[in-house]
Amino acid sequence: MRLFFLPISTRRTLIYCERIQESIAGKKPPITDRVTNFAADTWAKWEKAEKGWQKQLTEYGNRMLKRIPYEEWGLKSFPPATQKRLKEVDEGKHRLDCLYPGAFVKSSMVSEILRTLATERQTLHSRRMWTCIAWMPVTIPFQIVPVIPNIPFYYAVYRAWSHYRALYGGKLLQHIVEKNLVQATDSKTMDQIYAAGLINSSRQEPREAATPTEADIEKAVGEVVQRAQGGKEEVMLLQRLNGKLIAEAFKHPELEVEIERAVEQVEDAIRKAKEESKPEVQESKEVFEKSRTAEKIEDVRR
């Protein structure tokens, strides 16, 4: 397996696992892969519809999919931690070749960050998986019109499956990290693409510009360090334009969507954090909290 370790900002990282599909003559793919492929093909056909409920459903669905955290998408890219697969890891049959931009992250931090990403959301995914499963029987009566699928039911099924994959994908990553089976490799190609994205502001420019030199990369890193102010500020490292460039460089088209989604979510998070840190916002929050405290005290007196 090949893992792309992609720092989105100075505080957040996207991970994406590229699995090598082993094709055996005469053997069908696992049923989970067949169901997933069937669903993807059906969704793609509905997206191509000019009008109708299929078209509207895919439009609303794609908006909801964009809201799924990029961390979940990253963990879902790993195969689930089945007993058989964990045993194969223990036997040394599974290794993780991890590519990372060495100029923008220390090699000593890679394993620790991977461990954190693998474990920090396990409780959340477990809780939400069981919540979605609990909602499935409740949504069954929504099958009123035979022609239109039971959207609430299928959504609950999808989200339960998604949380399951993220949960057990994280468990597999955790197991691999704990067994020290991560082979981290400093990718000069990533360094160049990161630097090109920071230096240039549009997708066309870095594609046509000369390949960044070591001096250019050092300059880009220095600017990031300066803007971060010793860790006080969160600074973007990846730009949306990097998605296609990295996908093309490593011949993995799926990376473009993953990177663009992650960059958009992190940019929104940073923007919201800055807005909330403004003095007027902080002042309004303090006033609100004081008013609530006063109301509680008044209620106690009554």
Side-chain angles (χ1 to χ4, degrees), residues 212-272:
T213 62
E214 290 293 333
D216 293 330
I217 295 173
E218 290 181 6
K219 181 180 178 182
V221 173
E223 291 178 354
V224 169
V225 172
Q226 184 177 7
R227 290 169 56 196
Q229 300 179 16
K232 295 180 180 179
E233 296 291 333
E234 183 174 6
V235 179
M236 292 296 298
L237 297 177
L238 267 184
Q239 315 300 319
R240 297 191 191 191
L241 59 93
N242 291 126
K244 190 170 185 64
L245 298 178
I246 292 177
E248 290 176 352
F250 293 96
K251 297 179 174 58
H252 196 59
E254 290 84 355
L255 272 176
E256 180 178 1
V257 176
E258 300 295 334
I259 292 172
E260 290 184 351
R261 181 194 296 118
V263 169
E264 181 178 354
Q265 291 182 3
V266 174
E267 285 178 342
D268 289 343
I270 293 176
R271 182 169 56 253
K272 290 178 181 178

Side-chain angles (χ1 to χ4, degrees), residues 8 25 66 73 81 104 108 117 206 261 266:
I8 303 297
K66 287 182 66 176
W73 287 102
F104 295 87
S108 58
L117 293 174
R261 181 194 296 118
V266 174

Side-chain angles (χ1 to χ4, degrees), residues 44-59:
K45 291 178 181 178
W46 288 0
E47 284 181 319
K48 294 178 182 178
E50 295 182 0
K51 58 181 179 179
W53 64 266
Q54 293 101 330
K55 184 66 174 180
Q56 291 183 339
L57 176 62
T58 55
E59 289 178 352

